[in-house]
Amino acid sequence: MPPSVLLFQARNDDDPVRSEERQSFAAKTGLPLESIVPHDLLGGPPTLAAVRRFDALMIGGSGEYYVSKGDLPHFARLLELLREVVAARHPMFASCFGFQLMVEALGGEIVHDPASTEVGTFELALTEAGRRDELFGELPPRFAAQMGRKDRAGRLPPGLASLAESERNRLQAFRIPGAPIWATQFHPELDEVTNRGRFVRYLDGYAGTLSPQQMEEALARFHPSPEAAGLLPRFLKLAFDWG
């Protein structure tokens, strides 16, 4: 029987990415769509007991909310829940907005930094910690990943090492030591087609950050990222010996 996944989403009702995001996680994990159960964070986070009814928790991006601004409803309660999930060592994979939530919840720093925006497909490099990690260590030393962010980690939580870095941002991923919990600033659940479509969907949000020339350059900066796409199925393999 495939693992069940609770997917935290921070997207408005009229955002078409709500359904697309669930489909992307199903496609990249290899799980049937019904195994990915969404939870709308705009209505508030669930309890830890509710989270633990599922085999794993996953968190994706956000449409119009920023960790640096703390503008998601019920923000403090969500951070407290994430600390509880970590303390319980419940399997979790958090990407992009999820990565930033985890950094903030565990005592790191998230900053709003439009000047270093990464949108498109970027090359990342494993750090020494990444090469030793049982999940990231299966990646090549350099690999392509799908990105879409204006916030970034200025400092990881105490005791956590960065597993990957890019030219613009050296803090791209971490693991909770000894627990089946990973977080990535990039999107392993996306490919070049879905990531480009998401960028077009949120184009207005980037208009104040990128010049017209930078917009054109960003639209041309979407390429395949097959190695990063392997992270989610390997996460399930490590956590549940599934797949």
Side-chain angles (χ1 to χ4, degrees), residues 1-7 22 26 29-38 54-56 58 242:
M1 183 175 179
S4 60
V5 171
L6 182 63
L7 175 63
R22 183 184 177 214
T29 57
L31 293 171
L33 187 62
E34 58 268 23
S35 292
I36 310 288
V37 179
F54 296 83
D55 295 312
M58 292 186 180
W242 185 85

Side-chain angles (χ1 to χ4, degrees), residues 132-216:
R132 295 194 305 267
D133 183 73
E134 60 183 319
L135 177 61
F136 274 71
E138 296 295 316
L139 292 168
R142 292 185 175 274
F143 62 98
Q146 303 301 326
M147 304 285 291
R149 62 149 194 93
K150 292 191 277 294
D151 278 1
R152 65 171 176 83
R155 183 183 69 253
L156 289 183
L160 301 184
S162 178
L163 304 179
E165 58 190 10
S166 71
E167 184 177 328
R168 298 185 187 183
N169 181 10
R170 63 185 181 83
L171 307 177
Q172 290 279 0
F174 67 83
R175 181 194 183 172
I176 301 299
I181 299 173
W182 283 267
T184 63
Q185 176 59 80
F186 56 95
H187 286 277
E189 77 278 12
L190 297 182
D191 56 29
E192 73 275 21
V193 175
T194 51
N195 196 22
R196 191 179 192 278
R198 188 170 294 187
F199 175 58
V200 170
R201 165 66 181 84
Y202 296 127
L203 210 55
D204 289 346
Y206 286 101
T209 301
L210 303 176
S211 69
Q213 180 180 345
Q214 289 172 321
M215 289 281 210
E216 290 299 319

Side-chain angles (χ1 to χ4, degrees), residues 73-103:
H74 316 286
F75 187 65
R77 282 176 51 203
L78 175 58
L79 297 184
E80 178 58 33
L81 171 64
L82 293 177
R83 288 189 285 269
E84 292 174 354
V85 172
V86 170
R89 302 167 67 86
H90 187 71
M92 173 166 48
F93 197 107
S95 66
C96 197
F97 185 69
F99 167 89
Q100 295 162 7
L101 285 170
M102 290 289 287
V103 169

